[in-house]
Amino acid sequence: MRSPRLALVVVLGALALSSFAAAQRVELAGRVTASRTVLAQRRVGEPRYVAISDLFYRDRSAYLEVLDLTGPSVIQVKTRRSLLEKRFGAARGGSVAAPQGEVVLYRDGAIGLALTEAAGTARRRVWYAELDPRTGKLLRSADLATIRDGEQLEIVGVDAAGTAAWFAITRRTGYGRALVLHRLALDTLEARDMQGIELPRRAGKTEREHAVRVHASADFARFAVVEYVEDGVGMAPGQVYVAEPATGASFAVPAPPAAYGVAFSADGRYIYLGSSQRGTISRIDVAGHRIDKQVAGPRFLHHLVISRGGTRLFALASSSSYAVYDLPDLRARSDAAHPAGVAAAMVELHGNGIASLDGAFFVAPDAEDPRKAPAASRTYIIARLVD
């Protein structure tokens, strides 16, 4: 027969688990309809805004879309295609090729873009340009970089104060590649290389092996440069380089396979890496320059998001459930099924989503019927991550 004391312990334990599950959860916050584009997690300034489209053209106009999470609503910015062709286009025979563009910044009075000269030459110019979101007029612009075939410029993001935009430029060198963290001051549009990282040749190197993604802490004081690695396809090992531009310091740890999920603790002590292929979460001890802890996580993990309060880690994957961990030690894992309005989108996530800068929301394309032809627009779900 169970003793009264043991029964009380069991009841209290059940209540504690129930309270934990109720407190940390994913819930549907809303839906919006926007143009069919590829989402990329990107800081565009204030936490309320996320980039939801790249530059796209229809007839004689060019468009960009930004999601305002406070509505929620989609802000569409329109400008003349001829304006972009005249200032940033590339001559191709008897015509002009319009530039490609990605949203860098959005704030009241300005939308900032990285505009890349259309492909077709060995060297392509990249500019930073700002438009008035109400009129579509060009406000100002500046040269950002020139990239060659096989090189890339990645938008890392804009700090919450809107003082600087950060980019990562990967170039070919005699020893492999070099990645440069590039800072653009948004008051003067002065661009400056802040720190370089050598990416040595890897055994059995291919172009795919040198694909990298760059992630930044919320204050942009620290960056994680993640080399792509995949088990079972003959890839050489890769590294995660942790860089601090203010001091010029850096160190490296082994990169987990398919490390799509990356999150920085609010106090700067740890960086968390999620392996989609192995279903693990690793913790980098920044002061110790090492991976000091690893726990089991969901398979097909694509995003790690630290909650607004900084005490929980949400592990989101292409699955019907998600996991939540206590920080900083990745203890007390709690698994729960996605609510009905979110589940279909998350099962088909495949890495295609956006977390807001403050960790309060996650945006992903809603599921669609594969038997139907894709429409010009699509629905996006907005999930609230409750701490």
Side-chain angles (χ1 to χ4, degrees):
M1 180 177 179
R2 181 181 293 175
S3 70
R5 182 177 180 183
L6 179 59
L8 179 61
V9 171
V10 171
V11 171
L12 289 176
L15 287 173
L17 289 174
S18 174
S19 174
F20 182 88
Q24 289 80 51
R25 65 187 184 276
V26 173
E27 62 184 27
L28 180 65
R31 287 186 173 87
V32 296
T33 299
S35 300
R36 178 176 296 277
T37 55
V38 177
L39 295 177
Q41 184 172 339
R42 186 174 306 138
R43 307 176 192 274
V44 294
E46 297 179 41
R48 65 185 284 188
Y49 300 121
V50 294
I52 203 171
S53 87
D54 293 337
L55 180 68
F56 62 96
Y57 297 96
R58 287 179 184 162
D59 300 324
R60 297 181 180 180
S61 298
Y63 300 87
L64 294 142
E65 291 175 334
V66 174
L67 174 62
D68 183 348
L69 291 164
T70 59
S73 61
V74 175
I75 301 167
Q76 187 177 82
V77 177
K78 178 182 177 181
T79 190
R80 290 178 293 110
R81 177 173 182 147
S82 59
L83 182 151
L84 300 181
E85 289 176 339
K86 182 178 180 180
R87 177 65 181 82
F88 309 105
R92 296 287 185 272
S95 62
V96 177
Q100 300 172 329
E102 298 177 90
V103 180
V104 176
L105 164 75
Y106 185 84
R107 59 188 174 194
D108 185 31
I111 183 166
L113 316 175
L115 293 171
T116 304
E117 194 173 18
T121 61
R123 295 163 58 92
R124 290 184 293 159
R125 295 177 65 187
V126 184
W127 300 268
Y128 174 79
E130 285 185 3
L131 304 175
D132 184 321
R134 292 175 292 272
T135 66
K137 292 183 178 179
L138 179 65
L139 299 175
R140 56 181 186 160
S141 65
D143 286 335
L144 194 57
T146 299
I147 57 175
R148 298 174 175 83
D149 286 344
E151 300 180 342
Q152 66 180 34
L153 181 144
E154 177 185 347
I155 301 169
V156 182
V158 175
D159 58 42
T163 59
W166 288 82
F167 305 87
I169 303 174
T170 306
R171 301 191 184 281
R172 297 173 182 268
T173 68
Y175 52 80
R177 294 195 176 188
L179 183 140
V180 176
L181 295 172
H182 196 68
R183 182 182 186 273
L184 177 72
L186 291 172
D187 54 352
T188 63
L189 295 191
E190 179 184 358
R192 179 183 173 192
D193 290 344
M194 300 300 294
Q195 187 173 5
I197 298 171
E198 293 185 5
L199 305 177
R201 285 195 180 95
R202 295 155 63 187
K205 171 186 172 296
T206 66
E207 290 301 316
R208 186 183 181 193
E209 282 183 316
H210 259 295
V212 297
R213 290 300 304 272
V214 182
H215 306 260
S217 59
D219 59 1
F220 285 79
R222 186 171 290 118
F223 296 78
V225 179
V226 183
E227 288 189 309
Y228 184 76
V229 184
E230 186 177 336
D231 284 338
V233 294
M235 274 191 176
Q239 301 288 318
V240 176
Y241 299 89
V242 179
E244 298 180 0
T247 64
S250 66
F251 67 91
V253 299
Y260 299 133
V262 179
F264 295 75
S265 67
D267 60 10
R269 295 176 59 194
Y270 302 108
I271 302 173
Y272 300 92
L273 307 171
S275 170
S276 175
Q277 192 171 24
R278 293 184 183 175
T280 59
I281 300 174
S282 303
R283 186 180 75 175
I284 299 176
D285 175 359
V286 174
H289 295 183
R290 65 190 182 95
I291 293 176
D292 68 344
K293 191 177 185 71
Q294 187 177 92
V295 299
R299 290 292 301 275
F300 309 117
L301 192 161
H302 284 286
H303 289 85
L304 295 178
V305 184
I306 292 180
S307 65
R308 175 179 280 182
T311 59
R312 315 287 184 209
L313 180 72
F314 284 79
L316 306 176
S318 297
S319 64
S320 59
S321 63
Y322 60 94
V324 184
Y325 300 81
D326 280 350
L327 295 179
D329 296 326
L330 297 173
R331 294 177 180 170
R333 172 178 171 176
S334 173
D335 292 80
H338 285 290
V342 176
M346 299 304 287
V347 168
E348 297 187 0
L349 180 61
H350 302 304
N352 196 8
I354 299 174
S356 63
L357 180 61
D358 58 3
F361 295 97
F362 188 82
V363 183
D366 206 354
E368 295 183 305
D369 188 342
R371 297 168 296 181
K372 296 181 179 180
S377 62
R378 72 176 306 166
T379 301
Y380 297 87
I381 63 100
I382 302 169
R384 182 180 289 108
L385 308 184
V386 181
D387 194 346

